[in-house]
Amino acid sequence: MKAIVVGGGIGGLAVSLRRVGWEVVVHERAAAFGEIGAGVGVMPNALRALEWMGVADEVRRLGTPRVSGGVRSSDGRWLVHLTDVGQGKVIAMHRADLHGVLLRALPPEILFTDTEVTSADDLDADLVVAADGINSRLRAELLPGAPGPVYAGATAWRGVAPGPCDLPISQTLGPGAEAGVLPLGDGRVCWYVAVVAPAQADLDPVALSAGWHDPLPELIASTADMIRHDIYELPPLPTFVRGRVALLGDAAHAMTPYLGQGACMALEDAVTLASVDGDLARYDALRRPRTRAVWKGSRMAGRFGIEVRSPIALALRNLAFRAVPSSLAVSGMTRFAAWEVPAMPR
């Protein structure tokens, strides 16, 4: 059986059908395989997928295990301060490093660049995996009546600040804005800032961070190269499969970033597809309910996080955070990571 994967991002490279005997080819539109972005938190669910693939040890070697952190208000006060996430360590790493681990695990002869795929009909394969991102051309062909991406109401900046810094993983919530810090093992710090704003708004992240707690303003100001993007999400689809084509990653379920599960969901997709041996009906039955729950959870996190703007609502939200027992906070933050690789068919 032969599978063609369209898209060489994290999800596309993680398609593990070779492990169960398939011939696999990966086509990437760009001139070279690579991954843009800043940090990624490899959650326990994603780490289980990487364990199944046999690359988790390399991820642990390159990443930084962190078990302390929490949520802060914009003035620096801890709303939730965690010293142990309980369900397993989060591995902090650069997206490019995770992408590199997946790329090196594949034989070069199955990887092709500069390939523009506009229709699944042009591909000679038993299975076509559409991992071509939120603006997937193959999704538009597969589900012509389905809605496309919609603006989620916020814009974001990401970057990597030079070190050395030794900081915990943290999320900061302010009025109509949030920020995050993800330390890397070499002392650099990946950060992001998101703010409720119209699409393509002309805003300055340095000015936006003024008045926030240290070291956020310094991290942002010291970053030479920033990535700015408006946040879009994909409304839930009626199916992830049709005929011999399966949607994967952002092509299937692009979501807001407020749970940090986007890349993790793509890894789950890729391993699930292999664990069910390419059974598309089973893949769809497993992945749509799971990803929709996380999609909704991320939306809810945004509603009680970045979307809170009035002073009264902010005060009540912060008070509620501080009143939550640490054990309950851990449970709420880790419940979306409670996923196991499906058992392989016999």
Side-chain angles (χ1 to χ4, degrees), residues 19-308:
R19 177 173 174 179
V20 293
W22 287 62
E23 176 189 352
V24 178
V25 172
V26 181
H27 289 292
E28 166 57 39
R29 181 173 59 183
F33 284 94
E35 180 74 11
I36 62 172
V40 60
V42 181
M43 307 293 185
N45 51 316
L47 197 59
R48 292 184 200 105
L50 294 165
E51 291 273 15
W52 194 89
M53 295 172 60
V55 297
D57 286 345
E58 181 71 356
V59 168
R60 291 188 184 97
R61 186 182 70 82
L62 293 174
T64 310
R66 298 272 176 164
V67 294
S68 64
V71 181
R72 307 175 79 172
S73 60
S74 56
D75 61 7
R77 288 181 297 171
W78 287 100
L79 303 177
V80 180
H81 197 177
L82 306 175
T83 58
D84 189 345
V85 298
Q87 296 296 318
K89 294 180 180 179
V90 177
I91 306 296
M93 63 192 309
H94 199 288
R95 292 183 69 93
D97 290 338
L98 176 57
H99 186 272
V101 170
L102 299 172
L103 186 65
R104 291 189 294 273
L106 297 175
E109 60 269 20
I110 75 167
L111 304 171
F112 296 88
T113 57
D114 273 327
T115 307
E116 188 80 26
V117 177
T118 58
S119 172
D121 294 338
D122 299 333
L123 302 176
D124 181 18
D126 301 287
L127 169 61
V128 176
V129 181
D132 51 343
I134 188 172
N135 296 309
S136 170
R137 294 184 179 183
L138 296 187
R139 182 186 65 241
E141 178 185 53
L142 188 73
L143 303 170
V150 297
Y151 184 55
T155 191
W157 294 261
R158 303 173 191 273
V160 182
C165 294
D166 183 18
L167 300 169
I169 292 175
S170 66
Q171 179 187 36
T172 298
L173 300 178
E178 74 169 50
V181 169
L182 195 68
L184 300 179
D186 59 6
R188 295 179 301 160
V189 180
C190 293
W191 59 264
Y192 78 89
V193 171
V195 59
V196 173
Q200 300 180 345
D202 185 13
L203 299 169
D204 178 5
V206 176
L208 287 171
S209 68
W212 284 40
H213 66 80
D214 292 333
L216 282 172
E218 180 183 353
L219 291 176
I220 297 167
S222 66
T223 302
D225 297 314
M226 303 180 194
I227 300 168
R228 185 264 174 88
H229 64 95
D230 292 333
I231 297 174
Y232 282 77
E233 62 182 355
L234 189 67
L237 299 176
T239 182
F240 288 173
V241 305
R242 181 154 294 172
R244 63 193 180 110
V245 182
L247 299 174
L248 185 146
D250 281 352
H253 46 69
M255 60 187 65
T256 56
Y258 307 127
L259 288 179
Q261 281 283 353
C264 300
M265 289 296 103
L267 291 169
E268 284 189 17
D269 288 348
V271 167
T272 297
L273 186 61
S275 72
V276 300
D277 198 13
D279 182 338
L280 296 192
R282 181 67 175 148
Y283 170 77
D284 186 57
L286 289 171
R287 295 312 299 158
R288 271 195 303 126
R290 164 68 174 163
T291 55
R292 183 163 188 175
V294 178
W295 183 93
K296 291 172 66 176
S298 188
R299 263 197 159 198
M300 187 64 67
R303 188 167 301 166
F304 288 97
I306 190 173
E307 295 177 20
V308 178

